[in-house]
Amino acid sequence: MPFETDQFDTVVSTLATCTFPDPAQALKEMQRVCKPGGSILLFEHGKSRWPVLGKLQDKRAKKNAEIVGCYGNRLPLQLVQDSGMHIQSARSSYGDFLVEIVGQPGNE
């Protein structure tokens, strides 16, 4: 992102990790531009833990991405954890299909 490091008090992203070509890099960039102690607010959708829906999401992921640019079977909470972001809270609904995450930049 073309912003200085530690630029923003709050970074917000909604329904976007499914569209990033490199979600790990995008999450690291969110942390880079967020001030220490700032908040990163994410509202995402991802692969459901409900077997029927999860299997459908896996089956349709590539075609869905070709049509609308969205990989609906990604695991947003896992992506955030892997990015090194400090998770203050996370809440999921609809079998993990929707996930709300409040985080802070990690210490990388």
Side-chain angles (χ1 to χ4, degrees):
M1 289 189 271
F3 302 109
E4 293 182 30
T5 299
D6 301 337
Q7 182 72 33
F8 301 104
D9 294 320
T10 304
V11 175
V12 178
S13 178
T14 59
L15 304 173
T17 57
C18 64
T19 65
F20 297 136
D22 185 347
Q25 183 60 37
L27 290 163
K28 287 179 182 181
E29 275 295 287
M30 289 179 203
Q31 293 177 77
R32 182 186 67 77
V33 301
C34 188
K35 292 179 181 178
S39 295
I40 301 170
L41 309 176
L42 306 169
F43 178 73
E44 301 295 336
H45 72 94
K47 183 175 177 178
S48 175
R49 64 180 156 78
W50 292 341
V52 173
L53 181 54
K55 286 179 185 178
L56 179 62
Q57 288 173 293
D58 283 340
K59 182 178 180 179
R60 297 282 306 155
K62 185 175 180 183
K63 189 68 167 175
N64 194 53
E66 291 170 1
I67 296 169
V68 297
C70 169
Y71 287 91
N73 66 337
R74 288 187 174 163
L75 302 170
L77 185 56
Q78 185 66 51
L79 290 169
V80 170
Q81 290 170 333
D82 292 348
S83 77
M85 188 182 301
H86 291 278
I87 298 173
Q88 293 181 299
S89 66
R91 184 176 74 170
S92 66
S93 55
Y94 300 105
D96 295 338
F97 179 72
L98 296 175
V99 183
E100 299 172 26
I101 301 167
V102 177
Q104 288 186 313
N107 294 328
E108 293 186 5

